[in-house]
């Protein structure tokens, strides 16, 4: 099952942009086994810990997660035989909570009806640390785990192979920054002039120097700078208002057939802006983070929206 991770399709979105704009290509990461690029980093975190002897056979793995990492870790732990304890919240899609349970994880839910507040992720982190002590577990601690960046290097290499080494810019919505860093560093190694654009919610524009705030673009905008993100990893930050990210996710499904979530909507908003700015002859790559099937129980695609 773990060999099914990666090698996802990359397609060009010709109708997203004007004819005089740059090309936009999107990596369809919903094709991974749990429907998200997080499968790549979950495997990298477990294999990295196994290799270094930090994770013992049968030891309990512990993580705080918005649900995508948890679903992927639950999948990898099921395939590898590790018990898993998860701390998450009802601010995130309930399909993800159900997925973790389906793969056999023990899931603890922190109530946060307001959405993703600046206090939520730190609270989840504190509870996960308590569980690690209680059960003698192994903390994958995604925000501080350098192994997870390696999980996305393959994504960067696939992009280079699929586009014959020609990429001018890469943009991606930032949560832990794992995808942005793994892909960005791999592209930068091959193409030192590539433009690496990080994307964040306008309502919590911390990387742009703004204040942390509440928003609903699940997957990123945690309200603090991800610790693994260095200044020389990022050339530019773009902010996208959540209303624009949600509208783009809906229109991407209806008009382009790209079925995902507003983190991908934010990626597409940023890619379209970059395409207009860089112009004809340039090539921009972004990522469809996950499958829209993870979000059907919420409001995103409901008839009322
Ligand atoms: C739906 C979604 N979008 C975007 C991201 C951001 O990815 P990363 O943590 O690699 O920055 C995540 C991460 O959890 C996510 O779940």
């Amino acid at each position: 099952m773990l060999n099914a991770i990666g090698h996802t399709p990359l397609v060009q979105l010709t109708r997203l942009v004007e004819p005089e704009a740059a090309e936009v290509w999107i990596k369809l990461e919903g094709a991974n086994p749990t429907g998200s690029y997080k499968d790549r980093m979950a495997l990298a975190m477990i294999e990295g810990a196994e290799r270094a002897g930090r994770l013992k056979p049968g030891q309990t793995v512990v993580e705080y997660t918005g649900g995508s990492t948890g679903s992927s870790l639950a999948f990898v732990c099921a395939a590898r035989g590790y018990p898993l304890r998860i701390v998450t919240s009802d601010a995130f899609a309930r399909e993800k909570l159900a997925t973790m349970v389906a793969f056999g994880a023990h899931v603890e839910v922190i109530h946060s009806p307001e959405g993703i507040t600046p206090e939520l992720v730190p609270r989840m982190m504190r509870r996960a640390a308590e569980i690690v002590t209680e059960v003698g577990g192994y903390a994958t601690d995604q925000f501080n785990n350098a192994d997870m960046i390696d999980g996305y290097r393959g994504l960067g290499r696939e992009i280079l192979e699929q586009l014959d080494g020609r990429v001018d810019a890469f943009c991606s919505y930032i949560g832990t920054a794992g995808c942005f860093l793994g892909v960005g560093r791999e592209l930068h190694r091959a193409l030192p002039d590539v433009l690496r654009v990080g994307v964040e919610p306008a309502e919590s524009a911390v990387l742009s120097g703004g204040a942390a705030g509440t928003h609903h673009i699940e997957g990123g905008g945690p309200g603090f700078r991800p610790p693994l993100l260095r200044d020389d990893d990022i050339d530019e930050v773009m902010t996208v208002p959540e209303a624009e990210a949600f509208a783009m996710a809906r229109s991407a499904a209806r008009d382009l057939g790209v079925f995902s979530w507003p983190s991908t909507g934010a990626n597409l908003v940023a890619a379209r802006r970059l395409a207009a700015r860089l112009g004809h002859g340039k090539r921009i790559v972004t990522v469809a983070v996950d499958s829209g099937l993870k979000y059907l129980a919420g409001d995103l695609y409901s008839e009322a929206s």
Side-chain angles (χ1 to χ4, degrees), residues 96-296:
K96 295 181 186 173
L97 278 55
T99 303
M100 295 184 253
V101 172
F103 283 119
H106 179 286
V107 179
E108 230 176 275
V109 179
I110 292 179
H111 193 45
S112 183
E114 313 86 347
I116 308 157
T117 63
E119 297 77 37
L120 180 61
V121 175
R123 225 179 118 197
M124 286 162 37
M125 289 168 125
R126 283 196 300 276
R127 179 59 194 137
E130 282 170 15
I131 296 173
V132 169
T133 311
E134 281 165 28
V135 304
Y138 175 71
T140 38
D141 190 12
Q142 56 175 325
F143 270 95
N144 297 296
N145 188 329
D147 292 336
M148 64 119 188
I149 299 172
D150 292 337
Y152 294 105
R153 286 196 178 263
L155 207 171
R157 282 194 297 274
E158 287 170 30
I159 291 171
L160 286 167
E161 275 165 32
Q162 287 167 309
L163 291 176
D164 295 325
R166 202 167 76 65
V167 179
D168 296 293
F170 171 69
C171 60
S172 156
Y173 186 64
I174 290 187
T176 63
C179 175
F180 181 78
L181 291 173
V183 175
R185 287 179 188 170
E186 203 58 30
L187 293 182
H188 191 255
R189 212 160 55 95
L191 307 164
D193 292 333
V194 75
L195 181 69
R196 295 157 302 171
V197 180
V199 182
E200 67 175 352
E203 292 78 5
S204 190
V206 172
L207 300 177
S208 309
T214 301
H215 69 93
H216 301 87
I217 313 179
E218 179 173 329
F224 54 87
R225 187 184 173 94
L228 297 172
L229 181 65
R230 302 186 311 236
D231 282 347
D232 62 352
D233 284 313
I234 184 161
D235 301 309
E236 184 178 330
V237 183
M238 268 192 193
T239 62
V240 176
E242 68 172 35
E244 212 179 321
F246 273 72
M248 176 59 93
R250 292 185 183 112
S251 80
R254 284 176 195 163
D255 305 330
L256 304 172
V258 178
F259 186 40
S260 194
W261 168 253
S263 59
T264 298
N267 284 348
L268 290 173
V269 170
R272 192 164 61 179
R273 285 186 204 155
L274 277 170
R277 192 172 92 201
L278 300 187
H280 193 70
K282 299 289 185 186
R283 186 177 271 174
I284 292 142
V285 179
T286 192
V287 183
V289 177
D290 56 6
S291 163
L293 290 171
K294 285 176 177 268
Y295 305 99
L296 284 176

